[in-house]
Amino acid sequence: MQTDVVKIGTRGSALAMAQAAEVRARLMAAHGLPEEAFEIVIISTSGDRIQDRPLSQAGGKGLFTKEIEEALIDGRIDLAVHSSKDMPTVLPDGLEISAFLEREDVRDVFIGRSVASLEHLPHGARLGTSSLRRQALVLRLRPDLQVGMFRGNVQTRLRKLEAGEADGTLLALAGLKRLGMAHVAGEVMDVEHFPPALGQGAICIESRVGDRRIGPMVAAIHHAPTGAELACERAFLAALDGSCRTPIAGLARAAGDALHFSGMVLSPDGQEVHEIAVDGKVADAVRIGADAGAAVRRKAGAGFFDGWS
């Protein structure tokens, strides 16, 4: 019989809290446990506190996970809930990604202050985003636009848009759905022309390696097809030494035992692009991603990454 409260670590934004609550609900259902068997512990991260500059200038992806992982290592929490796209490819010793929930919609959405689509923004309009990937993809389609930094959670970005700090912005549809805010979405971007961030739409659970209590508990809610897709995408990212300093996009799709992966790297201005598409088996997900990353790196050449990394 479970007696000790399971402590779930998370960031404090509305979206992060919704994701933690979803994990808790799935664990409750899988194990027949009441809500009071779990405690959601809010942990402030460097990424949440730094709002005055792009993450690429402040230290990269680990800014959203470092403090949470420290709490996991020292036992203040039992498991951590993250947005997979925030996770560095190398984790601290003793920690592992132990489960993925079934993936939500992977697409980005455009939200305009007075227009319904990216195409209809007037020449020279301002688009706000903190993502180098979104910046590069936007400038690939609309090189005339002015792209500026837009930091903050979903609600903060929408307030900035309403206040006129930009004419449009881009957000993940998955996050809006989890917040019950899908109705604010304007144009839903086609993944063929506007591929998502690697890991977008997937919630992951991080825990201590060899934890006999938490390991079996979270294994019960793991979604294997999402796990295969993310294993491929993370291997692609690792092969490119992916960070917040390089615009990288991609998506793996598992169907039965088959897996399709497409990925790209872009220059920050969106004018140089190197793409790849590969089909293979789910069982080879990591190799497919790693090989695709190595192939794109060869295509682009070392100088491609040296210019802004």
Side-chain angles (χ1 to χ4, degrees), residues 215-299:
M217 179 179 283
V218 300
I221 63 172
H222 175 64
H223 188 253
T226 299
E229 292 171 2
L230 270 289
C232 180
E233 293 177 23
R234 287 174 61 76
F236 179 73
L237 196 59
L240 292 168
D241 296 325
S243 71
C244 292
R245 296 184 296 275
T246 308
I248 304 175
L251 179 64
R253 282 301 199 196
D257 66 351
L259 185 138
H260 174 78
F261 175 75
S262 59
M264 69 166 63
V265 295
L266 307 93
S267 57
D269 63 5
Q271 299 310 296
E272 185 178 352
V273 181
H274 300 278
E275 302 177 75
I276 193 166
V278 190
D279 289 294
K281 299 289 187 183
V282 161
D284 298 322
V286 172
R287 181 185 58 77
I288 291 167
D291 288 352
V296 166
R297 181 172 277 282
R298 287 193 299 272
K299 280 186 182 183

Side-chain angles (χ1 to χ4, degrees), residues 168-192:
T169 190
L170 290 150
L171 294 171
L173 181 53
L176 293 177
K177 286 186 172 184
R178 291 188 178 116
L179 289 168
M181 296 173 61
H183 61 280
V184 307
E187 177 185 17
V188 179
M189 309 302 287
D190 177 0
V191 295
E192 298 298 319

Side-chain angles (χ1 to χ4, degrees), residues 190-201:
D190 177 0
V191 295
E192 298 298 319
H193 299 103
F194 211 95
L198 298 153
Q200 186 154 308

Side-chain angles (χ1 to χ4, degrees), residues 8-12 16-17 20 40-44 68 77 79-81:
I8 301 172
T10 178
R11 295 165 60 197
M17 292 293 286
I40 292 178
V41 179
I42 296 173
I43 299 170
S44 176
I68 297 174
I77 58 174
L79 60 94
V81 178

Side-chain angles (χ1 to χ4, degrees), residues 41 51 62 67 69 88 120 148 155 198-199 244 297:
V41 179
Q51 295 291 323
E67 288 86 354
E69 288 173 332
H120 289 106
Q155 290 82 358
L198 298 153
C244 292
R297 181 172 277 282

